[in-house]
Amino acid sequence: MLITNMSFFKVNEIFHSIQGEGLLAGIPSVFIRLAGCHLRCQWCDTAYAWKNSSGAKMSPDAILGQISLYNCHYVVITGGEPLIQDGLPELVSLIRNEGFHVTIETAVPRYVDLNCNLISMSPKLLNSNQMHELSDYPVLDLEGIRKYTKSIYQIKCVASGQADAEESLEFLKKLELPDNERAGLMPLAQTREEYNRVAPLIAEICTQYGLRFWPRLHIELWGGKRGK
């Protein structure tokens, strides 16, 4: 599944929207969705980007040229799974050197030294019920996550109820986080109707356990519409 040509990336889509999740929620951003993921999470809302074949070859310069068309300072590299892409550090550095703020959205299957502004981690726990493709990478790299918490980070554990919350809490305790306000629960939902049902429950659980509640503005606004 790995892209071996350092000069090109398989890009599923590039679009301009607002950041719907995390510390930068509400900020207009350009999203670069790379194709290819070694996981098959049951609730994934971007299954259309799982395969490398779902993307078109683009050079780093071509990617930079396209994101520069938008009057926007913030760039989000997502997937798929960005950390399984060869050459990602070079792409991140290229974009940052042009003055953009770069966020990486990842499940952290491995640690990659990245010069990004924000590492946004969404570790896949038992509720994802993922099927693991034949790959050199595990579902998540716990030590890699610990390394990233020494930089500017956020952790979003997806949850639909009490069992997910308890699993997430145990996972977060293992990390011994330096800043608990950067980690919490995010409602598992693919549609606006699901979100409206699950979000209040997750908010109550976050209150109960003293965890941060991460909203999902793009689901609230557009109901999971692609490109939003």
Side-chain angles (χ1 to χ4, degrees):
M1 290 193 63
L2 290 178
I3 298 169
T4 57
N5 189 333
M6 295 286 284
S7 299
F8 290 91
F9 292 85
K10 287 291 189 71
V11 178
N12 179 273
E13 58 184 346
I14 297 177
F15 61 95
H16 187 212
S17 185
I18 66 164
Q19 174 59 271
E21 301 173 354
L23 297 167
L24 299 177
I27 300 293
S29 304
V30 179
F31 293 80
I32 303 168
R33 187 177 308 286
L34 300 178
C37 184
H38 66 305
L39 301 179
R40 297 293 183 268
C41 299
Q42 64 174 347
W43 38 257
C44 180
D45 56 2
T46 55
Y48 56 83
W50 279 349
K51 296 182 178 180
N52 282 340
S53 59
S54 68
K57 270 189 176 183
M58 292 186 70
S59 68
D61 286 341
I63 294 172
L64 180 62
Q66 188 157 342
I67 64 177
S68 297
L69 296 176
Y70 302 100
N71 181 24
C72 188
H73 174 64
Y74 289 83
V75 172
V76 181
I77 301 178
T78 185
E81 173 48 66
L83 294 195
I84 68 171
Q85 313 298 332
D86 287 345
L88 185 64
E90 290 79 8
L91 177 63
V92 172
S93 293
L94 175 68
I95 295 173
R96 280 208 65 188
N97 288 343
E98 293 299 316
F100 292 98
H101 178 287
V102 179
T103 297
I104 301 293
E105 292 278 356
T106 177
V108 195
R110 67 168 177 168
Y111 178 80
V112 178
D113 189 12
L114 295 167
N115 183 31
C116 61
N117 300 91
L118 175 64
I119 186 79
S120 179
M121 298 178 278
S122 182
K124 301 304 181 276
L125 306 179
L126 290 177
N127 67 356
S128 63
N129 194 29
Q130 70 272 0
M131 295 179 292
H132 190 199
E133 291 283 281
L134 291 176
S135 168
D136 294 333
Y137 303 118
V139 173
L140 61 83
D141 179 352
L142 186 61
E143 289 306 312
I145 293 174
R146 288 195 176 107
K147 288 181 182 178
Y148 283 133
T149 61
K150 300 185 188 327
S151 60
I152 300 177
Y153 72 94
Q154 62 188 23
I155 299 177
K156 304 172 296 181
C157 294
V158 178
S160 62
Q162 190 73 30
D164 295 344
E166 291 175 358
E167 182 193 6
S168 298
L169 187 61
E170 288 302 311
F171 175 78
L172 294 173
K173 284 180 179 178
K174 292 179 183 178
L175 296 176
E176 300 178 341
L177 297 173
D179 185 354
N180 286 327
E181 293 184 357
R182 290 182 173 269
L185 303 183
M186 188 169 67
L188 194 165
Q190 293 182 322
T191 67
R192 188 180 291 114
E193 292 73 23
E194 288 177 329
Y195 185 84
N196 290 338
R197 184 179 72 252
V198 174
L201 172 62
I202 300 306
E204 287 294 331
I205 292 173
C206 285
T207 302
Q208 176 187 352
Y209 287 101
L211 294 173
R212 183 165 189 151
F213 174 80
W214 295 113
R216 304 184 74 188
L217 294 181
H218 55 302
I219 302 293
E220 293 184 57
L221 294 172
W222 298 295
K225 181 180 178 182
R226 181 172 176 175
K228 293 294 186 180

